[in-house]
């Protein structure tokens, strides 16, 4: 069944690419893209089977995202961050899962996890308020997952949670006017003093320990993997896909290009161009191989009923941030070697260059923090596993 989804996604790629300009113009992924992806079953890849999902291998999910992003970076980005949310919803209490999927198993959620909101403990739950930036794909979703610090009655921080909020309880502020990932519609979410029941919250302490109340119903090994491994992969994978799309277009362009500054030499016969292609393809392949290999290693520990070693979880983050950089380096290498025509509006290459650099500034791609934690662990310093 999963292979049918992957095949269906690949069939959509020409149309997604044709609508990439429309996504930038609208500043949101076109409805047609979302509808077509929904019809393939893409958004249900990581959804529990008991709610009509596939409970698919996360590598299959990443493969679909990579292919989508190779056609349209904005659609790839939104499909990745929206498509991963069913994985986390599966960890919530059953009451929350039923509220999201009980009547419509096609329900989608957006998110903004930075704890910019404030939640105050009250009877049966929390009062939540705040503004969250950059909720990609929010216009195509009817729920949102929001990060917030929890305060007790004395004003002390007692937890960091994810809050699940229905569309009736939040506003979307249209603020997304960007030079990269322009079509993602990553607008602000505003919540004003909304009650969130306890069952509709999930402590990051629990997810950091690979636990959640929803595991009582959703027993698959899929839902025992680390949150920060699964979710940060959704940020790097679209960038790898953008690099793959840029590579394909660069090769095609160079096969047709004559270099006027070099007496009409065919670019495809330039040995230096060949070296750049070889270097770029190696960087892309390495980024993908490390992402897949690390997830496979974590899956093997889960399958054996073992706790995933902290070093491996830190290695996932190490290779994830470097993987993003490798993909961007490959795009830069190709862009610099493509000539002035690469700047033409409508070409995939210039859009990939802008989109990938926009994706680079996401918090999950902060290299210093991820690399410092890995290095600290290697030197024997204590590292909080809840963040990795």
């Amino acid at each position: 069944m999963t292979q049918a989804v992957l095949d269906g996604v690949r069939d959509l790629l020409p149309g997604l690419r044709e609508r990439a300009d429309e996504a930038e113009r609208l500043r949101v992924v076109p409805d047609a893209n979302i509808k077509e992806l929904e019809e393939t079953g893409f958004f249900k890849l990581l959804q529990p089977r008991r709610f009509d999902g596939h409970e698919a291998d996360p590598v299959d999910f990443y493969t679909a995202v990579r292919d989508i992003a190779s056609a349209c970076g904005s659609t790839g980005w939104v499909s990745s961050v929206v498509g991963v949310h069913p994985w986390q919803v599966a960890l919530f209490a059953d009451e929350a899962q039923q509220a999201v999927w009980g009547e419509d198993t096609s329900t989608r959620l957006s998110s903004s996890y930075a704890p910019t909101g404030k939640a105050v403990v009250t009877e049966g739950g929390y009062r939540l308020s705040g503004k969250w930036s950059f909720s990609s794909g929010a216009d195509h979703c009817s729920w949102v997952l929001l990060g917030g610090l929890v305060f007790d009655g004395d004003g002390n921080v007692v937890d960091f949670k994810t809050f699940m909020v229905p569309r009736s309880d939040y506003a979307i502020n249209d603020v997304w006017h960007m030079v990269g990932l322009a079509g993602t519609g990553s607008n602000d979410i505003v919540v004003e003093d909304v009650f969130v029941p306890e069952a509709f919250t999930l402590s990051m302490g629990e997810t950091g320990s690979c636990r959640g109340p929803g595991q009582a119903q959703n027993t698959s090994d899929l839902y025992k993997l680390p949150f920060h491994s699964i979710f940060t992969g959704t940020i790097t994978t679209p960038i790898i896909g953008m690099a793959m799309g840029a590579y394909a277009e660069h090769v095609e362009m160079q096969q047709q290009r004559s270099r006027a500054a070099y007496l009409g030499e065919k670019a495809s016969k330039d040995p230096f161009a060949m070296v750049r292609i070889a270097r770029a393809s190696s960087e892309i392949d390495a980024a993908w191989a490390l992402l897949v290999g690390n997830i496979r290693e974590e899956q093997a520990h889960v399958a054996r009923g073992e706790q995933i070693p902290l070093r491996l979880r830190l290695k996932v983050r190490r290779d994830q941030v470097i993987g993003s950089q490798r993909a961007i380096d490959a795009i830069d290498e190709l862009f610099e070697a493509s000539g002035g025509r690469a700047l033409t509006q409508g070409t995939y290459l210039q859009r990939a260059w802008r989109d990938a650099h926009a994706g680079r500034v996401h918090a999950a791609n902060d290299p210093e923090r991820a690399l410092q934690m890995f290095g600290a662990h290697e030197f024997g310093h204590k590292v909080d596993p809840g963040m990795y």
Side-chain angles (χ1 to χ4, degrees), residues 2-12:
T2 299
Q3 187 58 51
V5 176
L6 295 178
D7 291 342
V9 165
R10 292 189 182 112
D11 288 342
L12 299 181

Side-chain angles (χ1 to χ4, degrees), residues 54-376:
H54 298 294
E55 289 187 12
D57 188 322
V59 172
D60 288 337
F61 172 73
Y62 291 145
T63 299
V65 168
R66 182 197 65 187
D67 291 348
I68 295 165
S70 74
C72 174
S74 287
T75 303
W77 185 272
V78 169
S79 68
S80 192
V81 298
V82 171
V84 77
H85 292 146
W87 182 90
Q88 189 185 18
V89 174
L91 298 179
F92 276 76
D94 186 54
E95 180 183 346
Q97 297 178 56
Q98 295 291 345
V100 172
W101 293 316
E103 294 184 4
D104 182 3
T105 59
S106 296
T107 299
R108 293 183 295 271
L109 306 89
S110 67
S111 68
S112 184
Y113 289 102
T116 56
K118 178 180 179 180
V120 178
V121 177
T122 189
E123 184 177 356
Y126 308 86
R127 304 298 308 186
L128 180 68
S129 296
K131 182 177 77 172
W132 290 260
S133 293
F134 313 139
S135 186
S136 300
D139 288 330
H140 298 295
C141 300
S142 52
W143 289 76
V144 69
L145 297 163
L146 301 171
L149 297 177
V150 178
F151 294 81
D152 63 16
D154 297 324
N156 301 309
V157 176
V158 294
D159 205 348
F160 172 18
K161 288 199 165 203
T162 299
F163 296 85
M164 186 188 296
V165 182
R167 183 67 186 85
S168 57
D169 287 345
Y170 62 90
I172 300 174
N173 283 358
D174 185 356
V175 297
W176 190 250
H177 300 268
M178 304 295 177
V179 298
L181 293 175
T184 61
S186 303
N187 290 305
D188 288 354
I189 302 294
V190 179
V191 173
E192 297 182 1
D193 192 29
V194 165
F195 174 71
V196 182
E198 178 69 41
F200 289 70
T201 73
L202 192 62
S203 173
M204 294 303 287
E206 282 189 294
T207 53
S209 300
C210 301
R211 293 184 291 108
Q215 289 173 339
Q217 295 82 34
N218 305 312
T219 59
S220 166
D221 285 353
L222 170 64
Y223 305 113
K224 299 172 185 176
L225 293 166
F227 172 91
H228 287 91
S229 296
I230 294 294
F231 272 67
T232 57
T234 68
I235 301 304
T236 293
T237 299
I239 298 176
I240 295 173
M242 295 170 204
M244 291 179 64
Y247 180 86
E249 182 165 88
H250 173 80
V251 170
E252 181 180 354
M253 290 172 65
Q254 297 314 294
Q255 288 174 331
Q256 301 171 2
R257 178 187 175 204
S258 296
R259 306 187 67 181
Y262 294 92
L263 303 178
E265 177 189 64
K266 291 289 186 181
S268 60
K269 295 182 177 180
D270 179 357
F272 301 109
M274 297 173 189
V275 170
R276 284 179 178 262
I277 283 177
R279 212 156 36 202
S281 64
S282 179
E283 292 295 285
I284 297 167
D285 288 348
W288 180 248
L290 286 170
L291 186 148
V292 171
N294 286 335
I295 288 293
R296 288 282 182 251
E297 195 172 345
E298 289 189 325
Q299 287 176 307
H301 282 283
V302 172
R304 293 192 295 265
E306 300 169 354
Q307 185 176 4
I308 299 172
L310 177 57
R311 186 182 188 277
L312 175 56
R313 293 170 65 168
L314 294 169
K315 179 175 175 284
V316 170
R317 288 286 284 122
R318 180 198 73 184
D319 294 339
Q320 176 257 316
V321 295
I322 291 179
S324 292
Q325 191 59 59
R326 277 184 157 144
I328 293 168
D329 288 346
I331 293 172
D332 287 348
E333 183 110 32
L334 299 170
F335 187 70
E336 292 166 5
S338 291
R341 286 184 177 82
L343 296 169
T344 305
Q345 289 185 349
T347 62
Y348 183 92
L349 190 52
Q350 55 81 28
R351 186 182 297 111
W353 186 81
R354 290 184 289 110
D355 288 347
H357 280 275
R360 169 66 181 77
V361 303
H362 190 283
N365 281 328
D366 183 347
E368 288 79 16
R369 292 185 185 278
L371 300 181
Q372 185 268 333
M373 288 294 101
F374 181 86

